[in-house]
Amino acid sequence: MLYLHIPFCKQKCSYCNFHFSTSLTFKDEMLGAMKKEIFLRKDELQSKTLKSLYFGGGTPSILKVDELNALIDEVLKYFAFDPDIEITLEANPDDLDAQFLKGLSQSPVNRLSIGTQSFFDEDLKLMNRAHNAGQAEDSIKRAQDFGFENISIDLIYGSPTSDFEIWKENLNKTIEFQVPHISSYALTVEPKTALNQWIQQRKVAAPIEAEQHAEFSYMVDFLKDHGFDHYEISNFGKPGFHSQHNSAYWKSKEYLGIGPSAHSFNGWNERSWNIANNLRYIDALNQNTLAKESEILTEKEQFNEMMMIGLRTMWGVDLQQMEGKFSDIIQEEFQKNIAPKLETGILIIENGHLKIPEKHWFLADGIASDLFIL
Ligand code: SF4
C-alpha cells in the first residue's frame, strides 16, 4: 500500500501537531518532488500491485483534481492497481464544492474521509477548523449526490465546548447520513499547539478524561446498535467498509510513505521516515537524494509494537504467529506478564488471539504498555 502525504492546510487547527504548511508557494515544486520520490523508491515495496492508495495530510483536498490525478498517473507508471483497490482522499468539508466533487467523481478516487469533527459551530470554532456546521452537513450530502458511497466521517469527542447531549446529537446526525464508516478520536492536548497554550493560560478548560470515557462508551454501544463493527479503538465500519488501508497498518503489512514526514515500514523490522520540512524535502529530491532516516527495530521493539497495535483492534494479537517470531526469553516474560491480567479479565484469549475485552478498550494503551519488555 502507498501513502501520499500532502503537506498543506488552509489554516492551523488549534489541536493539531501534524506536519503541514499554510503557504502554497512551493506547491508545484512539492508535487514535482513527490513524483520524483515515487520513482526513486518504486522498488521498496515487494508487491507491485497496490490494494490501497491513500492521500493524507495536511489537507489533500486543497489540491486541484488535476493535480491529484497527475499523482495517481505517476503511481500507475510503476505499480498496478488491484481491481478492488481502495483509493482514499482525506478531504475537508470547505473544499467539497460541486466543481471539486464533480471532477473527483470522474477520477479513480473511490473513498472519501471527511474531516467533519463536529456538527456544532462552538466546537468547530474552538478547534479553529476552516469550516462551519452548515458546511459539515452540506459536504456529506453533496459528496453522496455525486455518487460517493464509501465515505468515512471523522468526529472528535470530549471537547470543552461540548457535553454529553451535544455528543449524542453529533452521533445522531452522523447516523442520519447513513455513511458506512466513522473514525472518532478524543480531543487530545498536544504540546506546542494553540489549544495547549489556551489551557495553560486558563482561557479554555482542559478536556476531562472521565467525560471522554463516558462519551466513548456511549458511542461504542450506539454505533454497534446501528450495525457498525468496532474493529479498532477509534474506528467503526459497516461490514464490507472497514478501511483497507488502516487495517493493513494494524496487521503490520508493508507500506511506502511518500512526501515530507511520511513513514514507511518493510512489514518486518525496518521503519523509515522522511524529513518533516517542506523545503529541505524538495531540495534533497532536486539533487536526486532522499531526506529520510531509518531504524532497524530490535526484537523487543517488534514485540512492544505488536502489543501496542494488536491490542487496539478486534483481532487482537495472534499467539501462534508470536511463537515463531520471538525468542524463549521474550515468550517467558510475556507469559508471566499476561497471567495476572488474564485472571482479572482485563485480557482474554479467544480463538488463539490475545485481546482486551471491548469494555476496557478506552484503557488499551496503558494495558499494552504494561506488557512492554524493556
Ligand atoms: S486540517 Fe488536519 S492536518 Fe490541517 S491543521 Fe487541521 S487537523 Fe491539522
Side-chain angles (χ1 to χ4, degrees), residues 8-9 11-13 15-18 20 57-59 92 129:
F8 301 110
C9 291
Q11 63 190 52
K12 189 169 175 50
C13 300
Y15 55 92
C16 179
N17 69 347
F18 292 155
F20 64 90
T59 309
N92 278 347
R129 298 291 304 184

Side-chain angles (χ1 to χ4, degrees), residues 300-353:
K300 285 180 184 173
E301 286 168 339
Q302 287 175 49
F303 171 87
N304 293 345
E305 206 166 283
M306 194 183 230
M307 293 301 125
M308 184 51 93
I309 296 173
L311 291 176
R312 291 172 60 96
T313 69
M314 70 176 188
W315 307 289
V317 173
D318 184 337
L319 295 173
Q320 203 180 358
Q321 197 188 14
M322 271 193 66
E323 269 172 32
K325 195 168 168 174
F326 298 107
S327 64
D328 288 350
I329 298 176
I330 288 199
Q331 296 282 358
E332 278 165 28
E333 193 161 344
F334 169 64
Q335 293 298 338
K336 201 176 72 196
N337 289 342
I338 62 171
K341 289 188 162 39
L342 288 170
E343 247 172 59
T344 54
I346 282 181
L347 288 172
I348 51 171
I349 293 178
E350 250 178 26
N351 302 322
H353 287 72

Side-chain angles (χ1 to χ4, degrees), residues 1-4 51-55 86 88 111 231 242-251 253 255-256:
M1 54 179 193
L2 191 61
Y3 172 81
L4 299 168
K51 287 187 161 41
S52 166
L53 177 62
Y54 194 103
F55 288 93
E86 175 187 275
T88 304
R111 182 172 184 270
Y231 67 107
H242 297 189
S243 161
Q244 290 182 40
H245 192 84
N246 290 338
S247 298
Y249 280 138
W250 300 321
K251 291 177 180 173
K253 308 270 190 214
Y255 55 86
L256 177 60

Side-chain angles (χ1 to χ4, degrees), residues 13-15 120-129 159-162 187 194-195 198 203-205:
C13 300
S14 61
Y15 55 92
F120 287 87
D121 279 328
E122 283 287 289
D123 292 342
L124 295 168
K125 272 187 203 144
L126 176 85
M127 295 175 197
N128 198 36
R129 298 291 304 184
S159 164
T161 42
S162 178
L187 184 69
L195 181 62
W198 295 336
K203 290 181 181 161
V204 171

Side-chain angles (χ1 to χ4, degrees), residues 79-337:
F79 297 92
F81 284 175
D82 184 279
D84 295 325
I85 188 170
E86 175 187 275
I87 305 182
T88 304
L89 181 84
E90 287 183 355
N92 278 347
D94 43 304
D95 292 326
L96 294 178
D97 60 26
Q99 194 192 353
F100 183 82
L101 280 166
K102 186 173 178 213
L104 204 63
S105 66
Q106 292 157 2
S107 81
V109 172
N110 56 20
R111 182 172 184 270
L112 288 179
S113 172
I114 303 181
T116 307
Q117 316 309 355
S118 172
F119 293 102
F120 287 87
D121 279 328
E122 283 287 289
D123 292 342
L124 295 168
K125 272 187 203 144
L126 176 85
M127 295 175 197
N128 198 36
R129 298 291 304 184
H131 65 278
N132 58 33
Q135 287 169 308
E137 294 198 24
D138 292 347
S139 62
I140 301 166
K141 279 190 223 127
R142 203 176 294 120
Q144 289 171 326
D145 289 346
F146 275 98
F148 285 97
E149 183 195 0
N150 196 351
I151 293 177
S152 178
I153 287 184
D154 283 352
L155 290 176
I156 291 180
Y157 59 92
S159 164
T161 42
S162 178
D163 61 20
F164 204 81
E165 291 311 309
I166 288 178
W167 178 235
K168 281 187 188 168
E169 200 44 39
N170 262 322
L171 290 170
N172 286 334
K173 277 184 185 282
T174 303
I175 290 302
E176 280 169 21
F177 290 108
Q178 301 193 332
V179 292
H181 193 277
I182 294 161
S183 297
S184 183
Y185 298 87
L187 184 69
T188 48
V189 185
E190 304 289 348
K192 297 186 189 159
T193 59
L195 181 62
N196 185 44
Q197 205 180 354
W198 295 336
I199 290 170
Q200 300 299 326
Q201 294 167 346
R202 300 186 188 278
K203 290 181 181 161
V204 171
I208 298 168
E209 193 177 318
E211 286 179 9
Q212 292 187 329
H213 195 160
E215 290 176 2
F216 173 81
S217 300
Y218 177 83
M219 166 174 67
V220 170
D221 292 341
F222 179 85
L223 293 180
K224 284 175 75 176
D225 285 349
H226 284 83
F228 287 83
D229 299 326
H230 186 195
Y231 67 107
E232 195 264 354
I233 289 185
S234 307
N235 285 275
F236 302 81
K238 292 264 172 86
F241 288 95
H242 297 189
S243 161
Q244 290 182 40
H245 192 84
N246 290 338
S247 298
Y249 280 138
W250 300 321
K251 291 177 180 173
S252 298
K253 308 270 190 214
E254 64 166 359
Y255 55 86
L256 177 60
I258 300 292
S261 82
H263 284 233
S264 303
F265 180 53
N266 71 352
W268 171 235
N269 66 349
E270 186 176 357
R271 293 202 167 281
S272 66
W273 53 96
N274 287 342
I275 191 166
N277 180 305
N278 287 4
L279 288 182
R280 286 169 64 192
Y281 171 84
I282 293 168
D283 278 351
L285 280 148
N286 280 344
Q287 295 168 45
N288 291 319
T289 58
L290 298 166
K292 72 180 178 93
E293 290 180 66
S294 60
E295 66 178 356
I296 301 290
L297 299 176
T298 63
E299 192 191 15
K300 285 180 184 173
E301 286 168 339
Q302 287 175 49
F303 171 87
N304 293 345
E305 206 166 283
M306 194 183 230
M307 293 301 125
M308 184 51 93
I309 296 173
L311 291 176
R312 291 172 60 96
T313 69
M314 70 176 188
W315 307 289
V317 173
D318 184 337
L319 295 173
Q320 203 180 358
Q321 197 188 14
M322 271 193 66
E323 269 172 32
K325 195 168 168 174
F326 298 107
S327 64
D328 288 350
I329 298 176
I330 288 199
Q331 296 282 358
E332 278 165 28
E333 193 161 344
F334 169 64
Q335 293 298 338
K336 201 176 72 196
N337 289 342

